Amino acid sequence: QVQLVESGGGLVQAGGSPRLSCAASGRTFRSYNVGWFRQAPGKEREFVAVISWSDGSTYYADSVQGRFTISRDNTKNTVYLQMNSLKPEDTAVYHCAARQGYCSGYGCYRALQEYDAWGQGTQVTVSS
């Protein structure tokens, strides 16, 4: 199974632009999709963005569209989440996750139960 480790979180001022990293190891990832999810205090974990490991295609939640960019570096086995124009409501624990195979629709990419490997998360706190 693939192992995932997030990094890059911390305390950030509103409007800041940190970049989160998700380092993958353990086995080949050619057929994987790697997604970012976040969970704020008192709220359910929600989908943020996903990328296809093989071709780099992306899909974003409406709440981050235009502000966040997901990308990957296949050489480094790493997926990134570039976050711009951060707001206090972006404060959450950010997790990366991986699923296998292919999705035929957006609902598959957004569904937590589709992902079978999860990182431990990295805290992002946005101050006003």
Side-chain angles (χ1 to χ4, degrees), residues 13-35:
Q13 293 183 343
S17 301
R19 187 180 72 167
L20 305 184
S21 298
C22 174
S25 62
R27 68 182 190 185
T28 183
F29 322 111
R30 296 293 94 177
S31 65
Y32 279 70
N33 307 135
V34 179

Side-chain angles (χ1 to χ4, degrees), residues 73-87:
D73 185 334
N74 287 358
T75 301
K76 298 180 179 179
N77 291 329
T78 299
V79 172
Y80 304 99
L81 185 68
Q82 177 66 59
M83 303 186 292
N84 298 319
S85 302
L86 282 184
K87 308 172 183 178

Side-chain angles (χ1 to χ4, degrees), residues 42-120:
K43 297 184 178 180
E44 295 184 354
R45 189 169 298 184
E46 66 173 352
F47 169 80
V48 175
V50 66
I51 189 168
S52 169
W53 193 272
S54 59
D55 66 9
S57 59
T58 60
Y59 170 63
Y60 298 90
D62 290 343
S63 59
V64 304
Q65 180 72 47
R67 295 192 299 124
F68 292 8
T69 302
I70 188 170
S71 62
R72 94 273 197 236
D73 185 334
N74 287 358
T75 301
K76 298 180 179 179
N77 291 329
T78 299
V79 172
Y80 304 99
L81 185 68
Q82 177 66 59
M83 303 186 292
N84 298 319
S85 302
L86 282 184
K87 308 172 183 178
E89 51 263 45
D90 294 317
T91 295
V93 177
Y94 284 73
H95 297 263
C96 63
R99 61 170 305 282
Q100 301 181 63
Y102 303 95
C103 284
S104 60
Y106 297 123
C108 173
Y109 293 116
R110 298 176 64 91
L112 276 67
Q113 64 268 25
E114 287 287 333
Y115 294 79
D116 54 19
W118 291 82
Q120 293 300 305

